[in-house]
Amino acid sequence: STPSIVINVNGIEVIYNHVILVLKGVSLQVADGQIAALLGGNGAGKTTTLRSISNLLKAERGEVTKGSVEMRGERIDHLSTSDLVKRGVVQVMEGRHCFAHLTIEENLLTGAYTRSGKAEIAASLEKVYNYFPRLKTRRTSQAAYTSGGEQQMCAIGRALMANPSVLLLDEPSMGLAPQIVEEVFEIVKDLNQKERVTFLIAEQNTNMALRYADYGYIMESGRIVMDGKADDLRNNEDVKEFYLGMG
Ligand code: ATP
């Protein structure tokens, strides 16, 4: 059976600072329980697409001027970021964004800001430690003194504390050694399979992303120029020539 669509981005245009047209009619669908990859080089518009879904554009003086974003058939583009978090749509921003002066555990707990119920939050924390054993060993360390990989794990763990159904990851591989990237993607796959978290992952590391994704979209200059099943994209001659060397 075909999985249902959770996130439907429908022909969006995005303008920054009232003048700079960055997304020129982007449409994509993320199917329930899948891992979708959003690929393309620097400045292609991946981050902007994620921000349009999680409503983080305003802080960057950006706005959606055309099109719509739907979750399970319902428009969500008017919702605030925290309302989206409550509905289960959570973005992990590029560059990790842990609070440097807080411990790993304090950072994780900040991710539960939309939730109440101490026992449930404690259970989520245990679950995060279960998926990220490295974070458990580093729980009392200040984030500033942990490695890049641990900070990326902390950022994902923090998002998990909101109990998301859809996680938007912005370049999780950025600045990490290949072995650590692999470790992070393995955990993503685990979360996808065991917790049924749906992922949309923006990545310049095409090769790694397509190894783990079910479906891929390739962006260039604010447009989707190609899409397909991850395995088909991996074997596509144009993709091999233009994108698989990247990242
Ligand atoms: P990267 O990997 O560098 O993050 P990306 O594919 O995620 O690339 P975006 O960050 O979405 O691309 O940027 C798309 C375009 O929008 C780029 O040309 C960028 O310069 C421009 N842009 C991004 N943020 C802003 C902003 N706040 N104001 C003006 N222009 C912006």
Side-chain angles (χ1 to χ4, degrees), residues 16-17 20 22 41-48 51 60 94 171 204:
Y16 284 115
N17 296 315
I20 310 162
V22 167
N42 241 325
K46 304 180 299 298
T47 298
T48 303
R51 281 180 187 149
E60 305 291 329
E94 189 176 8
E171 301 223 15
Q204 292 199 41

Side-chain angles (χ1 to χ4, degrees), residues 9 14 18 29 48-49 54 56 58 60 65 67 83 85 107-108 135 154 165 174 176 179-180 197 225 232 238 241 247:
V9 174
V14 170
H18 303 292
Q29 284 82 38
T48 303
T49 304
S54 57
L56 285 167
K58 210 175 277 172
E60 305 291 329
T65 51
D83 281 338
V85 171
N107 266 286
L108 293 174
L135 294 183
C154 178
S165 55
M174 197 172 68
L176 302 182
Q179 197 188 327
I180 306 296
V197 179
V225 292
D232 293 341
D238 290 335
E241 181 175 352

Side-chain angles (χ1 to χ4, degrees), residues 45-120:
K46 304 180 299 298
T47 298
T48 303
T49 304
L50 296 191
R51 281 180 187 149
S52 311
I53 299 169
S54 57
N55 207 344
L56 285 167
L57 278 175
K58 210 175 277 172
E60 305 291 329
R61 297 177 50 79
E63 59 177 332
V64 178
T65 51
K66 250 186 211 168
S68 61
V69 181
E70 290 158 14
M71 182 182 195
R72 303 185 196 285
E74 204 182 315
R75 280 190 76 153
I76 55 169
D77 37 341
H78 60 288
L79 295 179
S80 68
T81 299
S82 65
D83 281 338
L84 287 163
V85 171
K86 284 182 198 155
R87 289 204 187 196
V89 181
V90 182
Q91 179 166 347
V92 178
M93 283 187 276
E94 189 176 8
R96 309 197 263 276
H97 291 282
C98 290
F99 298 107
H101 60 288
L102 297 184
T103 65
I104 291 292
E105 185 151 305
E106 286 164 346
N107 266 286
L108 293 174
L109 289 170
T110 64
Y113 75 103
T114 58
R115 302 175 66 191
S116 52
K118 275 192 175 157
E120 289 160 47

